[in-house]
Structure formats: C-alpha cells, structure tokens
Amino acid sequence: GKAKPERVDRLLSRLGYCSRADAKKWVKDARVTVDGEAVARHDVKVLPTADGGVRVDDQPLDHPDGLIAVLHKPKGVVCSHDEREGPNVYGLLPPRWRDRNPSVEAVGRLDKDTTGLLLLTDDGALSHRLTSPKKNVWKTYEVTLDADVPLDAVEAFAAGTLVLEGETKPCRPARLLLDKRDRKRCELRLTEGKFHQVKRMMRSVGCEVLELHRARFGGLTLGETKEGDAFVVHRDELEAALFGEEE
C-alpha cells in the first residue's frame, strides 16, 4: 500500500539515526530537510519513502523502504544476539543499521566457524519467504574435509533418500560436485537448512568437515568482498537472483 506520512522524530528513530528525544535537537540544528527546506518541528509529518524528498545531513534517507544486505561472514562470530555466545554478526554492521526498528535480522544462520554469504533484512515477510522450504532456493557451500569423499556420495545425496541421524524425514535431493584434483574438497548445493546439515550429511559418508564456506544464496554471490564486508542488495536484484533462476 501507499506509505502514510510519519512524524520526523518517529522516522529518524525507526531508521536508526537517533532516539525520538534526540530528534528534537536534530531538527533544531536543521539537519532534517524536505525538498531543501529545514523541517520546523520534530512532530511534522513527512513521507517516509525514498522519493519523499526527505534528507538528513543532506543525504537521502537510509533505505526507508526496507533494508536487505549481504554480509561476508568471517569465522568466530555467531548469528545470535545472545552476548554469552561471543561476538556476533550484528557487531559488524554499521551502527545505524543495528538501531533500526523493526530490527535487521539474519535470514537463517551460519555456524560460528562457517564463513560466507549471510543475508540480513528488516523485512520479516521477506525473511520468511527466503527461509520457506517451499521456495527451493539453492544454497551453495564449499566444503573442505578430513578424508576423501566416497564417489557413491554423489548419488546418495541426489536420491533424496538420505535420512540423517535423529531424523525421520529424508533430506531433499542435494547436488554434490567433487573436486577431481582433491577429493577432500567438494561443493554441496542444498535447498533446505536443517541444523548443522552439511556437517551431518558429510558425517553420514564418513567425512568430518574442516572448513565450510557458503558461496552462493540462489544467484547471489559475494563478489569481490572481503570477510566482514557488507553491501546492500536492491529488492528487484534479490528477486531476480533468488526467484528468477529456473533450475
């Protein structure tokens, strides 16, 4: 639907700029403008959209229509907000993104020692769509193992009959590509994300995972990023990368 006009103080607080109380000062200091004119009061209503003419410190609003970002996750950080689990992925994001409301959350999780592509968004409906098993979005993992992957694993994983320890339902068909030069390395593509799934699938064929890296989420890749880098993805770009590729 159409965006409704929203109070300046609420908008600034929701997009992570400052608290509603501090917004009064921002307005007084003429840091908020609409079509080039300073906003007179903190309770003035403005259009909270990218094309509403609102600027803060002469910059357009920071993704007022929702934020979708990709983080190149390093090792040693968790995807949870629980301080007891150690440093988390949210600490790698720009402070303003961390203060948004609704909050920016990881779409699914990568284990602490797993690196690679992590999607984050403040759009709960989108996150739900992306994690829905019905959507069949392929995730691609690069895996390093302690032993050679047995050749029959390719067929075992593709058959869709593999039942992991402690489960009753089989895994969905998965694609395993072995590295011909080094059988301790492979690429695994899955459409689901059961708990520790890659590690458990590999264990079922007698291999322990030493290194795990998520290289792709649908058609999205990490490009030239380094670990710890984050970049914004536009919604239509995301749609094309995730739901546009017919397998």
Side-chain angles (χ1 to χ4, degrees):
K2 297 288 283 176
K4 294 186 180 65
E6 184 175 354
R7 283 172 58 131
V8 168
D9 55 0
R10 186 172 179 277
L11 178 64
L12 290 185
S13 140
R14 189 169 64 77
L15 296 183
Y17 285 95
C18 60
S19 68
R20 287 182 73 160
D22 286 346
K24 287 184 181 173
K25 181 157 169 43
W26 284 46
V27 166
K28 212 160 93 187
D29 294 343
R31 295 176 68 176
V32 186
T33 58
V34 177
D35 299 330
E37 295 289 317
V39 170
R41 289 171 56 93
H42 63 93
D43 56 2
V44 165
K45 289 195 170 178
V46 294
L47 268 181
T49 56
D51 52 11
V54 183
R55 291 173 85 86
V56 180
D57 293 335
D58 206 30
Q59 296 297 315
L61 285 176
D62 193 353
H63 300 89
D65 306 315
L67 178 67
I68 306 163
V70 164
L71 174 71
H72 188 156
K73 181 190 171 300
K75 264 189 175 163
V77 290
V78 295
C79 294
S80 115
H81 289 283
D82 188 341
E83 300 290 322
R84 291 169 303 191
E85 292 183 35
N88 63 40
V89 293
Y90 302 103
L92 299 169
L93 302 178
R96 194 188 294 158
W97 292 5
R98 298 204 295 267
D99 290 336
R100 286 175 77 100
N101 181 17
S103 58
V104 174
E105 298 290 342
V107 177
R109 291 187 168 195
L110 294 178
D111 295 339
K112 187 172 190 169
D113 49 359
T114 299
T115 60
L117 198 157
L118 184 69
L119 262 175
L120 300 115
T121 184
D122 59 353
D123 181 337
L126 175 67
S127 183
H128 187 74
R129 248 181 95 201
L130 295 179
T131 47
S132 155
K134 291 200 268 303
K135 284 295 174 204
N136 275 337
V137 178
W138 287 95
K139 291 114 187 146
T140 306
Y141 295 87
E142 292 165 0
V143 195
T144 307
L145 303 141
D146 69 339
D148 285 3
V149 181
L151 294 173
D152 58 5
V154 175
E155 235 162 90
F157 289 179
T161 52
L162 173 69
V163 178
L164 296 175
E165 208 177 324
E167 306 255 346
T168 50
K169 280 177 72 172
C171 294
R172 301 178 134 201
R175 300 174 184 173
L176 179 65
L177 293 170
L178 300 181
D179 183 328
K180 291 189 175 56
R181 292 179 307 275
D182 178 2
R183 293 249 312 278
K184 291 188 176 69
R185 298 171 66 92
C186 65
E187 186 181 278
L188 183 61
R189 302 181 73 196
L190 308 173
T191 58
E192 54 191 347
K194 294 181 196 281
F195 184 68
H196 294 323
Q197 183 164 356
V198 174
K199 292 173 183 172
R200 290 162 70 201
M201 286 178 76
M202 286 309 185
R203 201 167 284 154
S204 78
V205 293
C207 300
E208 284 295 323
V209 171
L210 302 178
E211 301 274 337
L212 185 56
H213 175 78
R214 181 154 72 188
R216 297 169 72 95
F217 194 112
L220 279 182
T221 68
L222 287 163
E224 299 296 302
T225 56
K226 296 189 296 296
E227 288 191 3
D229 289 351
F231 59 92
V232 171
V233 183
H234 293 288
R235 198 173 287 263
D236 40 5
E237 211 181 315
L238 182 84
E239 293 282 337
L242 297 195
F243 306 117
E245 52 166 31
E246 294 310 324
E247 291 291 339

